[in-house]
Amino acid sequence: FRKINLRKVYTSEIDSELLSLVKRDPQGTVNLVNQNDRRYVGSVLVGGQNFTILFDTGSSNLWVPSVYCTDSACTGGNMYDPAKSTTYKMLPAPNNFTVNFGDGSQIQGYKATDTVKLGGLSITQTIGVVTNFGSTSYKGGGVMGLKFIPDMQFNTPNIIQTMKAQNVLNKALISIRFSPSSSSYLTLGDVPNEYSKSISYNKVVDNNTWTIAISDIQVDGSSLGLKSNALVDTDSNQVSTIHGKISGAILSNNIWWIPCNTKSKVSLVFNGVPYEIDSSQLIKTKNNTTGLCRSGIQPQPATGLSWSLGDVFLTNVLAVFDYDNLQIGLASPVATVG
């Protein structure tokens, strides 16, 4: 036998580039599915039962329809059955909750804890067991809130923060890649390696929501000199300025229409870095009467914020939500290797 001498190697002796790649490897991945170009959903196990979940950065709770709910909004998909879970525990009374949504929908139920498995990672998490769901549009599934501030009714961290607290994740961090034409995913614990050097981070400018500052807006590379915050809604004056630079754009019944073959390019600038809105997101449904297409950028009721980083923008970037440092990272898409 040949003798091999071994010695302890400290991390300080390892090449920093190699070490950084190891540290940046995500600890879990959730495949996302595009449902009718309206929302992206993924799978989660609650008490060993599978649910198709909508990921929501505007709320912080995890709730699922239960077998105790007979409303159509519950019965359109899988329903949670506490009797089928060996790790289910109802929280002490008072444990009821009510959540109202902007479209007039309302859910009611009670709180419990159970084992939740997301992207192959398991924790014990407070969940909402829905018993009543007043909605005519929602059909099945559930919602996983990703906001960094707990809802007062639940008063519990979201699932990502719980994973960090229970030592399942090294970092309370997720990255989300929406794509209407290729695979979409959510990573847990860190960003994909191919993005590790191209992300530009923006500090959150609000104590309650994932809001960051837009440093400029560009049309065809020309600055419009517009600055605002980005989260929920779009200010109508800024929308008018943008469409004023798009040839052939018109406003009709408070809806902006643009030529379906427009070559104009709209970019949002964060921290000095421009991110172009893809033409497939800027050019929407065609009006057969006028021959124009509905613009993906539309005015919304004033709420004190200026922009909604919905699918129109997020399909153009990898978005990183960093809970440890309260910042959002953005990177332009890169080709997947392999």
Side-chain angles (χ1 to χ4, degrees):
F1 294 95
R2 185 177 179 180
K3 183 178 180 181
I4 300 176
N5 294 318
L6 301 176
R7 71 181 182 88
K8 181 183 291 186
V9 177
Y10 296 93
T11 56
S12 60
E13 299 178 61
I14 301 176
D15 180 82
S16 59
E17 284 293 313
L18 178 61
L19 186 61
S20 66
L21 289 178
V22 174
K23 288 181 177 179
R24 286 171 178 153
D25 190 28
Q27 295 169 261
T29 301
V30 181
N31 293 322
L32 302 178
V33 176
N34 181 356
Q35 290 189 335
N36 302 318
D37 287 328
R38 295 185 63 187
R39 63 180 192 167
Y40 289 83
V41 297
S43 294
V44 62
L45 291 176
V46 181
Q49 302 162 59
N50 187 63
F51 295 90
T52 299
I53 291 288
L54 173 67
F55 297 94
D56 177 24
T57 57
S59 64
S60 55
N61 310 315
L62 169 61
W63 56 263
V64 289
S66 77
V67 293
Y68 308 123
C69 179
T70 58
D71 299 317
S72 61
C74 290
T75 58
N78 291 348
M79 294 185 290
Y80 174 71
D81 187 350
K84 293 182 178 179
S85 173
T86 60
T87 50
Y88 161 83
K89 291 183 180 179
M90 181 187 291
L91 291 180
N95 61 10
N96 60 302
F97 70 89
T98 300
V99 178
N100 296 299
F101 300 98
D103 64 355
S105 302
Q106 182 188 80
I107 59 171
Q108 295 177 327
Y110 67 90
K111 291 174 285 186
T113 62
D114 208 337
T115 299
V116 176
K117 188 172 185 179
L118 179 69
L121 307 176
S122 296
I123 59 166
T124 299
Q125 177 73 8
T126 298
I127 64 171
V129 181
V130 175
T131 56
N132 299 92
F133 196 161
S135 175
T136 57
S137 59
Y138 195 86
K139 302 296 180 184
V143 170
M144 180 177 291
L146 298 173
K147 191 168 72 167
F148 54 84
I149 295 295
D151 181 275
M152 292 184 63
Q153 291 192 66
F154 278 67
N155 196 29
T156 186
N158 69 45
I159 189 170
I160 307 303
Q161 294 163 313
T162 301
M163 284 183 169
K164 172 74 178 293
Q166 295 182 14
N167 299 314
V168 173
L169 290 180
N170 294 329
K171 302 176 184 177
L173 180 149
I174 60 172
S175 70
I176 300 176
R177 175 73 181 103
F178 290 157
S179 174
S181 58
S182 59
S183 60
S184 300
Y185 56 82
L186 180 151
T187 68
L188 304 164
D190 222 322
V191 301
N193 288 335
E194 61 267 26
Y195 285 96
S196 60
K197 294 183 178 180
S198 59
I199 297 172
S200 175
Y201 283 94
N202 304 263
K203 283 292 185 181
V204 169
V205 295
D206 183 86
N207 292 328
N208 187 52
T209 58
W210 289 109
T211 302
I212 57 178
I214 297 177
S215 56
D216 194 10
I217 301 172
Q218 299 175 351
V219 176
D220 296 330
S222 297
S223 170
L224 301 185
L226 301 177
K227 299 179 185 294
S228 60
N229 291 332
L231 173 67
V232 179
D233 292 313
T234 308
D235 178 82
S236 58
N237 291 328
Q238 293 186 348
V239 171
S240 296
T241 302
I242 292 170
H243 287 96
K245 295 294 183 179
I246 300 177
S247 178
I250 65 170
L251 179 66
S252 176
N253 295 323
N254 207 35
I255 296 176
W256 278 100
W257 300 87
I258 59 178
C260 298
N261 61 350
T262 183
K263 302 299 181 184
S264 292
K265 301 181 185 299
V266 178
S267 300
L268 303 185
V269 183
F270 295 91
N271 199 21
V273 181
Y275 300 91
E276 182 181 317
I277 295 177
D278 188 83
S279 60
S280 65
Q281 299 301 310
L282 182 63
I283 304 168
K284 294 297 187 178
T285 310
K286 183 177 182 179
N287 185 318
N288 291 325
T289 301
T290 64
L292 296 174
C293 285
R294 190 179 189 276
S295 172
I297 302 174
Q298 295 292 337
Q300 299 292 337
T303 60
L305 293 168
S306 298
W307 281 86
S308 172
L309 295 188
D311 294 352
V312 169
F313 176 76
L314 292 178
T315 51
N316 304 278
V317 297
L318 176 90
V320 182
F321 296 87
D322 183 347
Y323 297 84
D324 292 331
N325 301 294
L326 288 186
Q327 58 185 359
I328 294 179
L330 299 171
S332 297
V334 298
T336 303
V337 179

